[in-house]
Amino acid sequence: MWLFWLIVIVAVVLYLLKKSDTSPDTSTASSPNLKITISSHSGSDEQETKVGFLPTSDGGFQIGPSLPLPLTLYGLDQNDAAKLVSALEQGQEYEIREWFNHLVAQKNILCKELADWLAYAKPTIKRLVDMKRLASSEWETATDLDKEDLLAEFQNAAVEELALRPGYIETATTLLFEEPHDLTVDDALLARFKDTPDTYRSLLYAISAGSKVQVSPAADYRRKTFEELTDKGFMRRGQEIPLEDILAGMTMKHMQEIAGADAPKKFTRKVQAVEFLKALPDTRQRLEKTISFRELFQLKPIEGIDLEELAKAHAYSSEVSRVILRTLGAGLESQRLKESSKDWEADGWELNSEECCPDCRKLHGKTWKRFPQKLPPFHIGCDASIEMQ
Ligand SMILES: [Zn+2]
């Protein structure tokens, strides 16, 4: 992160130096982006733009009541809301990403504006996909696997066409099609990791590697985490790992060396090598001469947990937290620009919505002489922004 700020500072210095060549007045930087970047971090001379939050009558919190698009969140408590708001105000959206992601997964946080969009988008996207299926000349005669492939194609095209959606296509796709059947699939696990969110993230990391044996020497950055997961009963280590799994993770060359002169001939297939070594009476002793068992770790199956559903739930809640933070961050940027717009002599203001949904793209390049009243984000996950001309 410090590197980023260093670059920002260098950019500001270069900008001011360049400006001093052309204009005698170096005290008022006229680039909105640079000015915002500085004030959002130091917050020295500028007044800090407030995000704030209000409790709602139905147990939720409205985050950023004065932002262009406040978001209503359910499932979090007052401390969570305060932490979220204060981080946003201090420009620490990046720093709280993991914490917020975990909070969304742990407390199954609901966002009203996201739910409203999904209520509009889901039936609409279904109609779009159905229309593409009916119009397809391949669908009727396609095999099951080809149908799966075609359906993914229709879905992607439908998301692109959807008039109002988060600008970031992957986010829209995950939110529309990847919602887990059971959002609470990870709750039991999350509860166990309530006080050690880092370990939970490591577990997800370990899950994505599957049940393969992983070699983690003492200096490996994952080592501490793997040891913690082993202590908690989620991984097994060294001698506990079935011999067959250790062999399956080795190269054929390595297995050939271990078999040595006992190998009937050169192994040509991995299965053959594994079968041969497994049948030797002293395989473990042979392995111990060439590998350190302490370095080996393997994920255990988790009783009562569907790992595939768990991975899916995690991917979904990551997108939910991402779209909430992006929307609030965009609202805050607009608000900051609004508050400081009076300080600048702008020729006009322009909407940049090139990267957003079809509805927003229609407005791309729209200009105003005075600072506009209606500011982005115009919807959840909106990628439009106002720029100074
Ligand atoms: Zn849009």
Side-chain angles (χ1 to χ4, degrees):
M1 199 57 194
W2 64 270
L3 186 61
F4 170 75
W5 290 112
L6 183 66
I7 293 168
V8 169
I9 291 163
V10 170
V12 171
V13 170
L14 288 177
Y15 171 80
L16 290 177
L17 285 175
K18 187 167 170 278
K19 197 168 158 57
S20 67
D21 286 339
T22 54
S23 148
D25 178 18
T26 59
S27 60
T28 53
S30 63
S31 161
N33 286 336
L34 289 178
K35 191 158 187 179
I36 281 162
T37 313
I38 304 161
S39 66
S40 71
H41 196 238
S42 71
S44 52
D45 53 334
E46 298 268 326
Q47 64 188 74
E48 196 72 53
T49 302
K50 290 284 168 220
V51 176
F53 65 94
L54 289 173
T56 64
S57 57
D58 52 358
F61 288 99
Q62 190 189 43
I63 312 291
S66 57
L67 294 185
L69 183 66
L71 294 185
T72 321
L73 304 183
Y74 296 93
L76 71 179
D77 62 30
Q78 179 137 347
N79 287 338
D80 300 329
K83 182 171 173 174
L84 169 64
V85 161
S86 129
L88 286 168
E89 285 172 350
Q90 288 166 40
Q92 291 173 337
E93 190 187 317
Y94 181 84
E95 287 82 348
I96 56 156
R97 228 172 38 176
E98 294 225 325
W99 163 77
F100 190 63
N101 190 353
H102 191 72
L103 188 79
V104 168
Q106 190 186 14
K107 299 194 169 176
N108 303 318
I109 304 285
L110 281 177
C111 170
K112 181 185 177 293
E113 292 70 20
L114 174 60
D116 289 348
W117 172 71
L118 284 170
Y120 139 79
K122 280 196 167 172
T124 313
I125 203 91
K126 189 180 178 304
R127 269 199 304 280
L128 285 170
V129 170
D130 285 347
M131 271 160 56
K132 290 180 194 301
R133 201 158 42 194
L134 285 172
S136 163
S137 54
E138 290 175 70
W139 182 262
E140 276 307 311
T141 54
T143 63
D144 283 353
L145 279 175
D146 279 347
K147 273 187 177 154
E148 242 173 68
D149 184 64
L150 278 168
L151 191 63
E153 217 173 81
F154 300 155
Q155 286 177 342
N156 289 339
V159 175
E160 292 265 1
E161 282 169 36
L162 192 65
L164 191 78
R165 57 161 168 79
Y168 198 52
I169 289 279
E170 275 80 2
T171 299
T173 309
T174 304
L175 293 172
L176 283 166
F177 301 114
E178 308 285 324
E179 189 180 355
H181 302 298
D182 181 9
L183 264 174
T184 60
V185 62
D186 52 356
D187 286 5
L189 264 191
L190 278 158
R192 286 165 83 166
F193 286 97
K194 199 157 56 74
D195 303 317
T196 50
D198 288 349
T199 311
Y200 180 70
R201 277 193 287 279
S202 316
L203 182 64
L204 289 174
Y205 177 78
I207 286 169
S208 64
S211 58
K212 261 193 252 157
V213 176
Q214 307 191 55
V215 184
S216 177
D220 184 33
Y221 68 99
R222 304 170 299 173
R223 174 70 169 254
K224 257 187 80 119
T225 313
F226 283 178
E227 284 176 345
E228 202 182 335
L229 288 174
T230 307
D231 288 346
K232 291 197 149 87
F234 289 99
M235 288 189 107
R236 49 187 160 219
R237 180 178 190 176
Q239 305 287 354
E240 290 175 72
I241 303 173
L243 213 48
E244 198 172 346
D245 293 346
I246 297 178
L247 292 169
M250 294 170 75
T251 62
M252 261 208 309
K253 187 166 170 269
H254 198 173
M255 286 193 273
Q256 194 81 53
E257 280 166 19
I258 290 166
D262 293 322
K265 55 185 171 50
K266 200 166 181 295
F267 298 131
T268 49
R269 285 180 306 117
K270 205 161 176 179
V271 189
Q272 181 195 18
V274 172
E275 288 303 319
F276 178 78
L277 286 180
K278 227 173 60 181
L280 289 176
D282 59 343
T283 312
R284 211 168 266 278
Q285 289 83 336
R286 288 180 189 227
L287 284 175
E288 276 167 352
K289 284 186 192 139
T290 67
I291 52 172
S292 154
F293 273 67
R294 297 188 80 254
E295 293 180 354
L296 304 181
F297 295 85
Q298 184 187 36
L299 191 72
K300 284 187 197 173
I302 305 174
E303 212 191 309
I305 302 279
D306 181 339
L307 291 183
E308 207 172 312
E309 268 296 298
L310 180 70
K312 216 172 141 182
H314 174 65
Y316 187 81
S317 62
S318 302
E319 286 303 342
V320 170
S321 74
R322 182 186 302 191
V323 84
I324 292 172
L325 288 181
R326 275 175 83 97
T327 309
L328 291 171
L332 186 59
E333 280 298 295
S334 281
Q335 192 65 19
R336 283 204 176 113
L337 194 61
K338 182 180 170 184
E339 286 173 12
S340 52
S341 64
K342 347 176 210 349
D343 302 340
W344 298 319
E345 284 179 32
D347 291 333
W349 304 90
E350 184 174 348
L351 180 72
N352 180 353
S353 53
E354 210 175 2
E355 304 292 324
C356 206
C357 59
D359 269 7
C360 290
R361 283 204 303 266
K362 276 187 217 152
L363 302 170
H364 175 63
K366 186 172 176 187
T367 57
W368 297 266
K369 205 81 200 124
R370 282 159 181 258
F371 198 76
Q373 289 294 312
K374 192 165 162 39
L375 296 173
F378 302 125
H379 56 81
I380 189 93
C382 178
D383 270 341
S385 60
I386 299 286
E387 289 168 6
M388 188 166 73
Q389 281 188 313

